[in-house]
Amino acid sequence: MVTSQRPLDGPALRDWAHTTVSDLITHIDEINQLNVFPVADSDTGANMLFTMRAALAQVDAEAGTDTDADVARVAAALSAGAVTGARGNSGVILSQILLGIAEVTADAADDSGGVLPTIDAATLGAALWRGLELVVASMGGDEVPGTIVSVLRAAATAVEQSAAAGDTLPRAVIDAGDAAVVALEKTTEQLDVLADAGVVDAGGRGLLVMLDSLRSTITGSVPARSCYEPAPHSRPADTGARRPAPQFEVMYLLAGCDAAAADTLRDRLGELGDSVAIAANPSDSYSVHVHTDDAGAAIEAGITAGHLSRIVVSALSSGATGLPAGSWTRERAVLAVVDGDGADELFAGEGACVLRPDEGTDITAHQLVRAVVDTGAAQVMVLPNGYVAAEELVAGCTAANGWGVDVVPVPTGSMVQGLAALAVHDPDRQAVDDGYSMARAAGVARHGSVRIATENALTWAGTCRPGDGLGIAGDEVLIVAADVAAAAIGLLDLLLASGGDLVTVLTGSELADTDIEAVGSVLERHMHDRHPGSELVVYRTGHRGDVLLIGVE
């Protein structure tokens, strides 16, 4: 029984994409270990994740958090991002499913006068069927039973039947997921290579994740699903009759090519390898994919057919990591956990990727892994800055390391330490050298904070009353003063007792503009009079909690 319902409008469709990315991260190991067809390269989950990330990034770039975004516009952005950012055979298939949604919603919008408020059951059913047609067409019209196509067909049929019966969208989505489970579990019986390995189809499992993400987006309920793993006593694969797996995966975008030339290219790529997919894109171009031993010949064939761009050649030897070569958009990134709009701008301006905690909560391991993936980097230096509990930091970094991302957590307990570490970051150094230098810079940056007392209390520095300024270092109150400025002066003197070249002060959301100016002026005079050899910089970060964060380098 459906107890709640959210309309599948533009913002909901974007939220579905975001949830799908999150859920694919959760299930990536499970999906990757199921990947034995067409090549046992353990990358299906990673490829679907990267493709969906590209789709979500395109929506964020075009629509952002626009609450009035038309559903057809969001669907078009998802499709465009997936088509240009597709990874692997499974990524091409996913992009065609999203293209089907985009085409059907665009047609429905035209029929309704240019704007489509929401997707109903009938529209979703038509979209899934169109996606199925595009997927099969991209593979040259050949449909192999026991693959993601079988699971997609079952889901499309279930939605179509629900719509015909007059059911609501939530009911149709629930039926689609249930039908997909049945079809997924049948894949082992339909394809010999799956039976040999004792697994269900990896792409079909990924599609089920997407359908369940849609269900949770519009109903708020998350279905309990089995964890699909290889059978413990599966039959050894009969590799004698099969040719060895190709060495390379080749992908590119092809423009300036008509349908006849695309068919000729498909035939040529079929001679060079297997897993050939040529998918038509909305921009009058094609996404091309093939597994082959002769990557050069596959590229030359594309040059003969039209104009190539976004050429990616990956070795089909991902091994235990489950990540194909070339899956990363850059070598190294810094991920900083920060609070406040000003802090966001400050760290991003220095080249860091930013992760912000929700109000009143620390970052979880799951959020950390998702943000690490979103950097698109093979190596990620993480600055927790006091917003990630130790156990969550370890769990998140371990999970990311487990499937191929080289994550280095830098021990920063405050954003001022994070700035010190970021200042010495050098992406041209080896990761271990960069991590050591950043950790050393953070470690020698003495830091503290100023807080406003909210109640009477006895501290190491004496009794405080509500409204007093408290200077805190090492989790202990060392200064009790009449106001914030006086507490900051006392704390500065303690932190500068052994010297320092640079003092950084970050101001929080509790200080008004006039208060910030007043405190800044007081600190500048004090630094000029008492610490003339040290430089003072003040940034308005707008963080919650402590009114001031102070660091000394």
Side-chain angles (χ1 to χ4, degrees), residues 455-466:
E455 59 185 15
N456 294 316
L458 180 62
T459 74
W460 284 105
T463 302
C464 69
R465 295 182 298 274

Side-chain angles (χ1 to χ4, degrees), residues 265-336:
L265 175 60
R266 188 190 305 278
D267 293 339
R268 174 57 179 150
L269 294 180
E271 297 171 358
L272 294 172
D274 53 32
S275 297
V276 177
I278 300 181
N281 298 335
S283 56
D284 296 325
S285 61
Y286 294 87
S287 293
V288 180
H289 173 277
V290 63
H291 291 168
T292 180
D293 288 324
D294 195 341
I299 294 172
E300 289 174 1
I303 294 174
T304 301
H307 306 293
L308 271 60
S309 63
R310 297 181 64 91
I311 301 172
V312 177
V313 178
S314 305
L316 290 172
S317 57
S318 61
T321 67
L323 290 173
S327 287
W328 309 109
T329 58
R330 52 179 164 164
E331 183 65 21
R332 188 178 307 160
V334 175
L335 174 64

Side-chain angles (χ1 to χ4, degrees), residues 110-365:
D110 290 340
D111 292 341
S112 62
V115 176
L116 181 66
T118 62
I119 295 176
D120 58 15
T123 304
L124 179 61
L128 293 180
W129 277 115
R130 178 55 181 157
L132 179 64
E133 293 171 357
L134 292 169
V135 169
V136 174
S138 72
M139 297 184 294
D142 298 326
E143 181 176 342
V144 179
T147 64
I148 185 175
V149 178
S150 301
V151 181
L152 178 57
R153 181 178 293 278
T157 300
V159 175
E160 182 181 54
Q161 291 174 347
S162 293
D167 290 334
T168 62
L169 178 67
R171 180 70 263 169
V173 171
I174 292 172
D175 290 347
D178 292 343
V181 169
V182 175
L184 177 64
E185 294 178 350
K186 286 183 179 178
T187 59
T188 307
E189 307 167 4
Q190 295 173 301
L191 204 56
D192 288 344
V193 66
L194 300 182
D196 291 342
V199 297
V200 297
D201 179 67
R205 180 65 182 105
L207 177 60
L208 178 58
V209 169
M210 296 175 64
L211 292 171
D212 285 345
S213 298
L214 181 58
R215 174 174 172 175
S216 66
T217 299
I218 63 176
T219 71
S221 65
V222 180
R225 302 296 189 197
S226 301
C227 180
Y228 293 92
E229 299 177 338
H233 302 294
S234 56
R235 301 194 304 270
D238 179 13
T239 58
R242 300 176 188 151
R243 61 179 182 175
Q247 298 182 60
F248 303 107
E249 177 181 63
V250 179
M251 296 190 68
Y252 47 79
L253 293 181
L254 177 65
C257 173
D258 58 24
D263 289 339
T264 300
L265 175 60
R266 188 190 305 278
D267 293 339
R268 174 57 179 150
L269 294 180
E271 297 171 358
L272 294 172
D274 53 32
S275 297
V276 177
I278 300 181
N281 298 335
S283 56
D284 296 325
S285 61
Y286 294 87
S287 293
V288 180
H289 173 277
V290 63
H291 291 168
T292 180
D293 288 324
D294 195 341
I299 294 172
E300 289 174 1
I303 294 174
T304 301
H307 306 293
L308 271 60
S309 63
R310 297 181 64 91
I311 301 172
V312 177
V313 178
S314 305
L316 290 172
S317 57
S318 61
T321 67
L323 290 173
S327 287
W328 309 109
T329 58
R330 52 179 164 164
E331 183 65 21
R332 188 178 307 160
V334 175
L335 174 64
V337 185
V338 305
D339 188 37
D341 293 340
D344 192 322
E345 295 176 4
L346 178 60
F347 278 83
E350 295 298 320
C353 300
V354 170
L355 172 62
R356 295 177 62 171
D358 296 328
E359 185 173 0
T361 62
D362 285 343
I363 294 296
T364 65

